[in-house]
Amino acid sequence: MLAKDLISKKKFALKLSDTGEIALDLMNELKVSHLPIVNDKTFVGLISEKNILELDSIQEPFKNLGLSLFTPFVCNHQHFFDAIEVVTCLHLSLIPVLNEREEYLGCVLPSELLEKAAALLNTNGPGGVIILQVHDHDYVLSEIARIIENENAKVLSFTTNLRSNGFLLITMKINTENFSSILKSLERFNYEIYSYFMNANDETDTFQKRLNEFMHYINI
């Protein structure tokens, strides 16, 4: 999934002739705290609610204010993971998308990124969740997958989080909730079971928590 496939149908762009007052009204309408300013097709920069509230006058057109704006964006051909990285690192409420000529195409919202990430990680599908804790040096995905597949199950999705103690937490969505034999096999190969969830409600809450961690810590 590329950034261009997630561009919102809503119109977020401001013009240089617009004012802070117009921007605040649009932010309130669209439920965002950032908006792009675009001159024809050129992305001028991203203005935040905080920027606007610090202006001497919110009735003055932007072109008269000599604004110094930051210009975060992703290219239309970049993977949506790149958009997630920029949004989370900069705490943005949207991310502009530009084409190869650096022309403004539109914006992607974090909610749309989260929805696609959830679909990619199969959070709503049937199955259970197993969380392993392994040392970074001992992490071999193919071996873990082989153990699970030998028990007639499959890994539908997984995420990893490197902890400060040098251990990885590996969260896996398995295509079955009946995985007692899988747990025993993993332990037999000296894998530490950090946690597991077979109940549907626990699974949803816990995997959503892991998804949120993924959204925050991912570094592609």
Side-chain angles (χ1 to χ4, degrees):
M1 182 68 68
L2 303 181
K4 65 180 181 179
D5 301 316
L6 298 176
I7 293 175
S8 175
K9 294 180 180 179
K10 296 179 180 179
K11 303 300 181 183
F12 292 93
L14 296 166
K15 302 184 295 293
L16 285 172
S17 58
D18 288 331
T19 65
E21 187 173 34
I22 291 174
L24 289 175
D25 288 342
L26 188 57
M27 286 178 180
N28 183 62
E29 177 186 339
L30 297 173
K31 310 301 181 188
V32 296
S33 55
H34 302 84
L35 284 173
I37 298 178
V38 178
N39 183 22
D40 192 12
K41 295 182 179 181
T42 302
F43 174 51
V44 177
L46 206 62
I47 193 165
S48 69
E49 182 178 17
K50 181 181 178 182
N51 296 148
I52 295 170
L53 295 176
E54 291 175 347
L55 294 175
D56 292 333
S57 172
I58 63 171
Q59 282 81 35
E60 191 76 15
F62 293 131
K63 62 184 177 182
N64 297 340
L65 296 175
L67 297 173
S68 179
L69 302 174
F70 74 139
T71 55
F73 68 90
V74 292
C75 293
N76 60 342
H77 60 269
Q78 286 182 264
H79 194 272
F80 82 93
F81 278 0
D82 295 321
I84 290 174
E85 181 180 15
V86 177
V87 165
T88 55
C89 287
L90 298 179
H91 306 289
L92 302 178
S93 57
L94 50 75
I95 181 67
V97 180
L98 309 186
N99 64 16
E100 293 81 356
R101 297 182 296 278
E102 297 191 354
E103 295 172 334
Y104 174 80
L105 299 179
C107 288
V108 176
L109 298 173
S111 58
E112 294 165 336
L113 294 172
L114 180 61
E115 180 181 340
K116 293 303 178 183
L120 179 67
L121 296 174
N122 201 36
T123 59
N124 295 323
V129 175
I130 298 175
I131 304 176
L132 302 180
Q133 179 172 261
V134 302
H135 197 280
D136 185 29
H137 298 307
D138 299 325
Y139 171 51
V140 181
L141 177 60
S142 58
E143 181 179 86
I144 296 172
R146 178 183 58 78
I147 294 170
I148 293 171
E149 289 170 0
N150 283 345
E151 296 296 334
N152 299 314
K154 294 185 181 297
V155 179
L156 299 177
S157 64
F158 73 97
T159 65
T160 61
N161 293 132
L162 181 61
R163 312 182 84 189
S164 58
N165 60 3
F167 283 83
L168 280 171
L169 282 185
I170 304 170
T171 302
M172 299 178 292
K173 183 70 175 286
I174 310 298
N175 68 336
T176 177
E177 290 186 12
N178 301 315
F179 47 62
S180 297
S181 61
I182 297 175
L183 297 177
K184 291 177 182 178
S185 291
L186 288 167
E187 289 176 332
R188 190 165 61 250
F189 283 89
N190 298 317
Y191 283 99
E192 179 183 349
I193 310 298
Y194 185 82
S195 191
Y196 62 90
F197 302 88
M198 297 183 184
N199 178 271
N201 292 330
D202 288 345
E203 172 196 326
T204 300
D205 293 343
T206 301
F207 206 72
Q208 187 64 44
K209 179 180 177 181
R210 305 305 303 159
L211 173 61
N212 291 339
E213 291 179 4
F214 163 78
M215 294 285 286
H216 182 72
Y217 291 110
I218 189 169
N219 183 18
I220 303 302

